[in-house]
């Protein structure tokens, strides 16, 4: 092995570090180490001239001073891959953070990898069932596709993501990888405990870049998670479910890194390279001839503004967009999915079939008509509507309530037992509501139930007289 190249720190400002090398300059993305125990990790992002590189620290820089020695590790940031990483929890450097045993039986691979070439990508479209009525009926997900959960703060993105992990482990033989970008430590700890209690940890890997960590490490945690996912897809030929919470924090970390590196910001303060950075991550999530990576990503929408560049850029990569609405959340309609704003490229007759497609269109039409009538109801009251419009309102309100669902992950808060509902049951229930079969039942009897058969158990129909 060649002797490590030594450099000297010439400048430190926050997370930005300039290092002078008298010999060969380390290439871009090289990892440098400094400090008494090599605990300070720096990633090279620019070669400033023949002698100087500028890097961003992935760890806090306390104790780093001008004149200190820096060692070039001779390679980029690496992530552990192999069977030994299953059921474990990691940080961005691949160190276990679950107080478990040391890693054995793992290889280390660079986190910077090219997406699979087009020739190796799979082109067939299959549906990925989640057991959540509102998603399976209106926004079907694609196996090996990318779905986004869009919503502002506190409308239920993480809860929906956790519920999907819970439901998918049941009918999927693959591996789940949870990547927390800019997560709160409370969320990571709760998720680890819940997954352990549910007995799904043996097929799961978690990797976290916490909120309080420097932007450089939050920016790289997504790449590390993808390197792990690619191993299971390419080497073990298994299907992978990759959950990312939250892709906006990846963009935000890139924005901080870009600002620290002195780049001119573009619109609304975002980094000029946002589109390239996001595509570099998203394009690696793909179906190939050996396996599929299905990705579900939570996307925080700043100030509920869907025209924000972060939301717009993310939309363009997705095959399904699940939009969560604050208004529905405030009405207690959970999951708070907005059926009129959410969309899926899978919802075509050729993929989901004619009956499912026609039903989904009819549900959307009914809910859209109800949305238009809401203003009239607010001003003049329900009595002023024509009998036909009143039927539309009744149908729409019953559909809204039927599309709510008690979750396994919220049992301890709501006291309601979680329900997993198959696609056939969900479609059957919606069809029967659209056919006015439940018009004599109170709306509340359809709220927070599983399949439509549970309505009868909730009490007799109202007396229409």
């Amino acid at each position: 092995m060649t002797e490590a190249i030594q450099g000297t720190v010439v400048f430190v400002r926050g997370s930005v570090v300039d290092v002078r090398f008298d010999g060969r300059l380390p290439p871009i993305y090289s990892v440098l180490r400094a400090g008494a125990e090599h605990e300070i990790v720096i990633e090279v992002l620019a070669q400033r001239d023949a002698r100087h590189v500028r890097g961003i620290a992935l760890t806090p820089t306390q104790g780093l001073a001008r004149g200190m020695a820096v060692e070039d590790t001779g390679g980029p940031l690496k992530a552990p891959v192999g069977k030994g990483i299953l059921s474990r929890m990691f940080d961005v450097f691949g160190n276990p953070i679950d107080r478990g045993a040391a890693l054995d039986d793992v290889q280390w691979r660079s986190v910077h990898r090219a997406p699979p070439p087009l020739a190796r990508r799979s082109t067939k479209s299959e549906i990925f069932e989640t057991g959540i009525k509102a998603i399976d009926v209106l926004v079907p997900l694609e196996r090996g596709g990318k779905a986004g959960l869009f919503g502002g703060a506190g409308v239920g993105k993480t809860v929906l993501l956790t519920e999907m992990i819970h439901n998918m482990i049941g009918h999927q033989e693959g591996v789940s990888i949870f990547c927390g970008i800019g997560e709160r430590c409370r969320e990571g700890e709760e998720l680890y405990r819940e997954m352990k209690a549910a007995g799904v940890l043996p097929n799961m890997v978690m990797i976290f870049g916490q909120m309080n960590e420097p932007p450089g490490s939050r920016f790289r945690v997504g790449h590390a998670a993808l390197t792990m996912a690619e191993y299971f897809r390419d080497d073990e030929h298994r299907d992978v479910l990759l959950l990312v919470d939250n892709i906006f924090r990846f963009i935000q970390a890139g924005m901080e890194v870009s600002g620290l590196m002195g780049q001119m910001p573009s619109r609304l303060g975002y980094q000029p390279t946002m589109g390239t950075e996001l595509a570099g991550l998203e394009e690696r999530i793909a179906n190939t001839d050996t396996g599929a990576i299905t990705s579900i990503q939570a996307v925080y929408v700043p100030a509920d503004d869907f025209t924000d560049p972060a939301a717009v850029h993310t939309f363009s990569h997705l095959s399904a967009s699940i939009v969560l609405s604050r208004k529905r959340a405030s009405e207690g309609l959970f999951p708070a999915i907005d059926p009129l704003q959410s969309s899926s490229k899978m919802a075509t007759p050729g993929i989901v079939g004619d009956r499912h497609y026609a039903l989904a269109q009819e549900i959307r039409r009914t809910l859209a008509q109800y949305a238009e009538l809401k203003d009239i109801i607010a001003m003049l009251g329900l009595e002023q509507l024509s009998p036909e419009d009143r039927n539309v309102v009744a149908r729409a309100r019953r559909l809204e309530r039927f599309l709510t669902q008690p979750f396994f992950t919220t049992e301890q808060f709501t006291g309601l037992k979680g329900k997993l509902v198959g696609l056939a049951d969900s479609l059957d229930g919606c069809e029967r509501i659209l056919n006015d079969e439940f018009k004599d039942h109170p709306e509340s009897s359809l709220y927070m139930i599983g399949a439509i058969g549970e309505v009868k158990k909730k009490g007799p129909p109202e007396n229409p007289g």
Side-chain angles (χ1 to χ4, degrees):
M1 175 147 175
T2 55
E3 198 179 317
I5 299 170
Q6 295 279 346
T8 313
V9 175
V10 292
F11 168 94
V12 183
R13 188 184 66 216
S15 292
V16 179
V17 184
D18 281 13
V19 184
R20 177 190 170 93
F21 287 90
D22 290 324
R24 182 181 65 85
L25 275 189
I28 304 288
Y29 297 149
S30 294
V31 168
L32 315 176
R33 285 184 174 269
E37 295 173 10
H38 289 161
E39 73 282 4
I40 297 171
V41 182
I42 301 157
E43 186 179 59
V44 176
L45 289 186
Q47 294 181 339
R48 310 214 46 214
D49 54 38
R51 291 281 172 85
H52 295 88
V53 296
R54 175 166 285 180
I56 199 98
L58 307 187
T59 53
T61 51
Q62 278 99 332
L64 194 63
R66 286 167 65 176
M68 281 176 84
V70 174
E71 192 177 290
D72 175 14
T73 61
L77 187 65
K78 291 188 166 75
V81 298
K83 286 193 166 62
I85 67 172
L86 285 170
S87 83
R88 303 301 299 270
M89 193 170 179
F90 298 95
D91 65 9
V92 69
F93 305 110
N95 303 318
I97 51 173
D98 53 8
R99 301 188 194 161
L103 285 181
D104 57 350
D105 186 32
V106 295
Q107 306 166 21
W108 291 80
R109 288 189 186 169
S110 164
V111 303
H112 303 280
R113 295 162 65 84
L118 282 173
R120 278 197 55 216
R121 296 193 179 216
S122 157
T123 52
K124 68 173 189 288
S125 294
E126 291 177 67
I127 293 298
F128 193 76
E129 225 178 285
T130 64
I132 297 168
K133 291 181 283 194
I135 294 177
D136 290 344
V137 172
L138 295 169
V139 204
L141 304 187
E142 180 184 10
R143 180 176 292 284
K146 294 183 271 253
L149 286 175
F150 291 83
V155 290
K157 296 184 295 298
T158 303
V159 171
L160 197 51
L161 214 53
T162 319
E163 182 72 7
M164 284 189 192
I165 302 175
H166 185 284
N167 292 0
M168 279 174 203
I169 305 292
H171 53 86
Q172 196 203 347
E173 299 302 301
V175 180
S176 285
I177 295 181
F178 185 91
C179 170
I181 307 178
E183 282 282 82
R184 300 164 184 88
C185 58
R186 164 184 65 78
E187 292 169 340
E189 194 267 338
E190 281 172 5
L191 185 74
Y192 183 77
R193 241 191 7 243
E194 281 169 16
M195 295 301 120
K196 199 167 185 175
V200 298
L201 266 187
N203 280 322
M204 194 161 180
V205 185
M206 296 186 199
I207 178 163
F208 285 95
Q210 280 171 223
M211 245 176 197
N212 61 324
E213 290 178 16
S217 92
R218 298 198 306 271
F219 190 51
R220 287 287 172 241
V221 72
H223 299 97
L226 267 164
T227 302
M228 294 172 174
E230 286 162 346
Y231 162 81
F232 288 112
R233 179 191 67 194
D234 300 337
D235 294 38
E236 295 208 356
H237 300 183
R238 294 171 77 174
D239 278 2
V240 182
L241 174 65
L242 174 69
L243 301 123
V244 184
D245 188 12
N246 174 320
I247 206 78
F248 172 76
R249 306 230 182 272
F250 166 75
I251 293 170
Q252 202 175 34
M255 187 164 143
E256 290 176 51
V257 168
S258 162
L260 288 165
M261 293 296 289
Q263 293 178 346
M264 277 289 284
S266 68
R267 202 161 80 96
L268 293 187
Y270 285 103
Q271 64 271 40
T273 50
M274 173 168 73
T276 319
E277 289 166 2
L278 188 63
L281 189 72
E282 295 279 7
E283 286 299 304
R284 287 171 65 182
I285 302 170
N287 265 8
T288 66
D289 41 19
T290 55
I293 299 179
T294 303
S295 163
I296 299 171
Q297 307 167 11
V299 188
Y300 166 70
V301 180
D304 293 344
D305 174 18
F306 284 90
T307 62
D308 188 271
V312 170
H313 275 266
T314 311
F315 265 124
S316 62
H317 290 281
L318 305 172
S319 55
S321 304
I322 301 166
V323 176
L324 301 179
S325 137
R326 192 171 300 284
K327 191 168 181 305
R328 296 178 83 79
S330 67
E331 291 169 10
L333 299 172
F334 289 105
I337 294 167
D338 185 327
L340 301 178
Q341 276 193 289
S342 304
S343 64
S344 167
K345 291 178 182 154
M346 296 289 100
T348 61
I351 296 171
V352 296
D354 291 330
R355 175 178 174 243
H356 184 162
Y357 176 74
L359 265 174
Q361 291 297 89
E362 184 60 34
I363 292 165
R364 279 212 167 84
R365 197 176 303 118
T366 306
L367 294 173
Q369 281 175 281
Y370 175 42
E372 285 170 16
L373 292 168
K374 272 181 180 168
D375 288 344
I376 301 172
I377 297 167
M379 287 187 290
L380 304 173
L382 193 60
E383 297 73 36
Q384 300 302 315
L385 296 180
S386 67
E388 198 179 311
D389 283 348
R390 250 180 283 178
N391 280 341
V392 167
V393 170
R395 255 176 247 142
R397 288 179 65 86
R398 281 167 175 74
L399 278 171
E400 280 184 341
R401 276 144 191 78
F402 178 62
L403 291 174
T404 62
Q405 191 165 342
F407 279 179
F408 292 97
T409 46
T410 56
E411 279 178 11
Q412 70 218 58
F413 309 116
T414 59
L416 297 169
K417 198 161 167 35
K419 298 277 165 64
L420 187 77
V421 187
L423 178 60
D425 286 339
S426 303
L427 290 173
D428 179 48
C430 292
E431 189 170 45
R432 288 167 67 182
I433 291 169
L434 287 169
N435 292 338
D436 288 341
E437 198 176 310
F438 296 95
K439 69 168 191 259
D440 297 332
H441 287 70
E443 291 168 2
S444 58
S445 66
L446 290 152
Y447 180 65
M448 284 293 168
I449 61 169
I452 197 79
E454 295 175 29
V455 172
K456 303 278 190 283
K457 300 170 193 164
K458 292 194 84 170
E462 278 177 347
N463 179 7

